[in-house]
Amino acid sequence: MNGNSRKSPQEIADILRERIRAGELRVGERLPTQAELAEEFGVERGVVRQALRILADDGLLSNVSKGSPPRIAEPAPASDEPQPAVVGLAPRLTEAFSAPHVRVDVVSHTSETLMVAVGEPVRLIHEGRLRPESIEFRVLLPSRTINLAFPVPVDEGTGDGDPVHERWLRMRNAQAQVLRHNLQTVHHTHGIDVRVTFRALPFTPPVKLYLLNGQEALMGYYLLARREEECDSRSLDVYDALGSQSLLFSFTRQAGRRDRAFVAESQKWFDALWETITTDLTLS
């Protein structure tokens, strides 16, 4: 056995999970035997059994028994019911963070939902339950200089400035700064390579889009509503969207042909847009 760097059951499960995600271990194939896995990872068989139990609990293995190695399970069908953004994004981000190299690409109106959802995988990193080697976030948010489609005041009025736009800008900057700070803490505390880049969209996105490791796309539509917002001790009557209440629809490469095509085209579109936009976002 190679005992130089013994791995935990969670680390072994994460490595095998990534092999399944990458297609190195295909649906229906048997895993190597526990003895072979123990030899590969330099651990006792009991550690391997715990790792396999983690994968089985996640629904990634079938035919789990003592008699023969388990098989890679068919992916569970996605729920027909989309989830509210905060509820749906956090577990998907956590799953994405189990990969050795994490890449999250985002198009959004603000980073509020992302800021909240990323707290769960960051917490698991601090607890030692997740340990990616690198994390890269590329986030596209509307530029401060454009005329936003929303939020906008119900009554344009004739006063100086635009308090609705100024309020949105303060929120956008504060949320993005917290997101970047929370991700960079895992670099300072765990030595993980972290890169977080914001660029300025020249338009208001009608949807929010999250691309996770190029394997899954989560998309939600912004729905506008009229409501009152407090700003600087006064009430503003605005048309706006609550992004955290948007329903997220999931598309994965492991699903049918249409899902695979949507993920691939969404990633291609994002990459092209990212290369076209060269202006970094100003967060002050």
Side-chain angles (χ1 to χ4, degrees):
M1 289 187 185
N2 178 12
N4 293 332
S5 179
R6 297 210 167 196
K7 296 185 180 299
S8 69
Q10 183 64 58
E11 289 173 321
I12 295 173
D14 290 343
I15 293 171
L16 295 176
R17 182 185 289 107
E18 180 57 24
R19 291 178 184 176
I20 294 171
R21 183 186 291 276
E24 297 175 26
L25 296 171
R26 300 180 181 277
V27 171
E29 291 182 350
R30 290 194 182 278
L31 281 177
T33 65
Q34 291 183 14
E36 290 170 334
L37 291 173
E39 177 68 23
E40 175 184 354
F41 294 112
V43 296
E44 302 295 333
R45 291 191 188 186
V47 177
V48 171
R49 283 194 292 271
Q50 294 178 55
L52 299 184
R53 193 174 303 119
I54 292 172
L55 295 176
D57 290 343
D58 290 342
L60 296 176
L61 300 180
S62 62
N63 300 330
V64 180
S65 66
K66 296 181 179 179
S68 59
R71 294 184 184 274
I72 309 304
E74 290 279 352
S79 171
D80 293 333
E81 295 295 329
Q83 297 294 313
V86 171
V87 176
L89 181 59
R92 304 314 306 143
L93 271 178
T94 300
E95 176 65 21
F97 269 62
S98 67
H101 302 284
V102 180
R103 190 189 70 212
V104 178
D105 296 330
V106 181
V107 179
S108 187
H109 190 254
T110 71
S111 54
E112 178 182 13
T113 300
L114 185 62
M115 175 193 70
V116 175
V118 82
E120 178 62 12
V122 166
R123 179 181 67 82
L124 294 177
I125 289 175
H126 288 308
E127 291 179 357
R129 297 168 61 185
L130 290 176
R131 184 61 190 269
E133 297 174 23
S134 66
I135 300 170
E136 180 180 13
F137 271 61
R138 301 188 296 178
V139 185
L140 291 170
L141 300 175
S143 167
R144 68 169 64 219
T145 62
I146 67 172
N147 293 321
L148 292 172
F150 60 90
V152 293
V154 173
D155 182 2
E156 292 292 343
T158 59
D160 295 333
D162 184 347
V164 174
H165 185 90
E166 292 170 2
R167 178 181 182 275
W168 165 82
L169 183 60
R170 288 197 298 269
M171 292 175 58
R172 187 206 70 175
N173 291 347
Q175 293 160 6
Q177 288 169 351
V178 171
L179 173 65
R180 182 166 59 188
H181 171 78
N182 288 344
L183 288 168
Q184 288 179 339
T185 59
V186 301
H187 168 71
H188 299 306
T189 58
H190 294 77
I192 297 172
D193 179 23
V194 175
R195 287 175 290 171
V196 186
T197 309
F198 298 91
R199 289 186 180 171
L201 274 176
F203 59 86
T204 307
V207 299
K208 55 171 53 185
L209 177 67
Y210 305 97
L211 297 167
L212 310 180
N213 295 335
Q215 297 297 312
E216 182 174 16
L218 297 169
M219 185 185 72
Y221 293 96
Y222 286 113
L223 300 177
L224 298 184
R226 180 175 178 173
R227 67 175 191 268
E228 290 189 353
E229 294 287 357
E230 294 297 321
C231 179
D232 298 331
S233 301
R234 62 170 167 161
S235 181
L236 300 174
D237 193 13
V238 302
Y239 291 114
D240 198 3
L242 284 175
S244 61
Q245 295 181 6
S246 299
L247 297 181
L248 287 181
F249 296 83
S250 173
F251 304 84
T252 68
R253 287 187 181 271
Q254 287 74 33
R257 182 173 60 184
R258 291 184 179 179
D259 275 33
R260 292 197 297 271
F262 182 86
V263 176
E265 289 301 315
S266 296
Q267 188 66 64
K268 182 179 178 181
W269 172 80
F270 182 94
D271 290 340
L273 185 60
W274 183 263
E275 292 302 319
T276 301
I277 297 172
T278 58
T279 304
D280 288 342
L281 209 67
T282 301
L283 297 178
S284 59

